[in-house]
Amino acid sequence: MDPLAEFDRHRGLLFAVAYEILGSVADAEDVLQDSWLRWSATAHDEVGNPRAYLARVVSRQALNRLRTVARARETYPGPWLPDPLPTGDDGAADRALRTDDVTVAMLLVLETLAPEERAVFVLREAFGTGYDEIAAATGRPVATRQIAHRAREHVRARRPRFTVPPDRARRVAEAFVGAALGGDVAALTALLAPEVVSLADGGGAVSAARRPIRGAEKVARFLVGLAARPLPGALTGAAEFNGLPAVVVRGPDGVDSVVLVEVSEVDGADLVTAVYAVRNPEKLAHL
């Protein structure tokens, strides 16, 4: 067995597991690095199933990291949003990642789970891992099935519903961006769901709204106001992140922000139900 070739062969799956457990590209890459060090020190001839073994190592390392960062996120300055992950045709996301599992709304639901619940849910629901393997990864051999059931019910009650196909979402997002840049509050309001929410993550490092903004009119006026004060020399481009249409804003020093637009069917109409703006430089460094 070539240890490096074997690790690289499963790298996409391993990254997917770590990212869905952590919601952070940087943390997921750190977990993979730690897992590689452990794998390189393993007696490889004794490993019957490298894929399962590596997934177990990564899961355990991701869970340990999640227990640490979960405490830090409790005092996070303003809304916490997951790192934006490219998922378009030319994006960096591996095929092991299903876009429905990594939408911002879904990752925010997973953020409400306890660390063990999140790890068990991701391994069972997203990757179909067997209970015995999950128990070995999480160190909870007795309660694994109960944890999985509890997490499944929690997510089912809170997960996003009535999302629309990508092509319909892109059309609404394009109209949304055009109305915002054109300063047309009325047109923008008409594209927003009544209960739309705007969340911004600056991480305390850059300016960003510290509280969610709710309601179509408030969100429309807020976004039009922002669009009227563009970053000097900024370039914008359409993209797809976390399975959602998005706008990337690039300034002189690199990516300044990624704005993701969530579109859902509301009373028979395709409307924007959430706007997620990631500005924390640490969460954009991988772009």
Side-chain angles (χ1 to χ4, degrees):
M1 180 192 301
D2 181 339
L4 178 58
E6 195 68 29
F7 190 88
D8 284 343
R9 187 158 73 92
H10 302 295
R11 184 180 179 86
L13 169 68
L14 302 179
F15 176 83
V17 170
Y19 177 78
E20 290 194 32
I21 290 176
L22 292 161
S24 165
V25 171
D27 286 337
E29 291 291 358
D30 286 346
V31 162
L32 259 62
Q33 179 64 27
D34 292 342
S35 299
W36 158 250
L37 294 176
R38 292 173 182 271
W39 170 246
S40 63
T42 298
H44 302 103
D45 292 342
E46 300 176 5
V47 178
N49 187 336
R51 181 180 185 275
Y53 183 90
L54 285 167
R56 182 167 68 246
V57 171
V58 167
S59 300
R60 187 177 298 132
Q61 294 304 307
L63 179 56
N64 290 339
R65 178 65 63 91
L66 181 60
R67 290 184 179 121
T68 300
V69 300
R71 291 190 288 271
R73 289 176 188 176
E74 292 176 359
T75 57
Y76 194 80
W80 178 93
L81 294 173
D83 293 12
L85 185 70
T87 52
D89 293 338
D90 58 348
D94 189 87
R95 291 179 181 176
L97 283 165
R98 300 186 308 183
T99 54
D100 287 347
D101 294 330
V102 296
T103 62
V104 178
M106 184 61 180
L107 291 173
L108 289 178
V109 172
L110 295 182
E111 194 68 15
T112 65
L113 297 174
E116 289 79 8
E117 290 178 330
R118 181 168 183 167
V120 169
F121 178 87
V122 167
L123 291 172
R124 182 63 183 170
E125 300 300 319
F127 299 100
T129 307
Y131 286 113
D132 290 344
E133 193 66 26
I134 295 173
T138 60
R140 298 293 295 272
V142 177
T144 300
R145 290 179 183 272
Q146 293 93 322
I147 293 173
H149 175 74
R150 186 167 64 245
R152 191 182 306 115
E153 292 301 308
H154 181 98
V155 172
R156 182 179 296 147
R158 293 165 176 80
R159 75 183 308 160
R161 295 180 174 86
F162 312 118
T163 54
V164 303
D167 57 334
R168 286 163 53 185
R170 281 194 297 270
R171 287 197 294 270
V172 174
E174 289 170 1
F176 164 87
V177 172
L181 294 178
D184 193 334
V185 174
L188 185 57
T189 302
L191 294 168
L192 304 178
E195 303 301 321
V196 64
V197 61
S198 174
L199 299 174
D201 181 344
V206 296
S207 62
R210 290 291 187 97
R211 297 177 182 275
I213 300 171
R214 301 181 185 277
E217 185 173 351
K218 288 183 179 180
V219 170
R221 293 190 180 280
F222 173 73
L223 295 176
V224 166
L226 285 181
R229 302 188 301 274
L231 181 72
L235 297 174
T236 61
E240 180 188 298
F241 285 84
N242 297 80
L244 302 176
V247 175
V248 181
V249 180
R250 298 181 182 275
D253 299 322
V255 177
D256 174 81
S257 55
V258 174
V259 182
L260 301 91
V261 183
E262 178 186 278
V263 180
S264 306
E265 187 173 322
V266 180
D267 296 330
D270 294 346
L271 298 173
V272 176
T273 47
V275 181
Y276 307 105
V278 182
R279 297 204 66 220
N280 185 344
E282 292 184 359
K283 297 187 176 186
L284 303 173
H286 64 284
L287 302 178

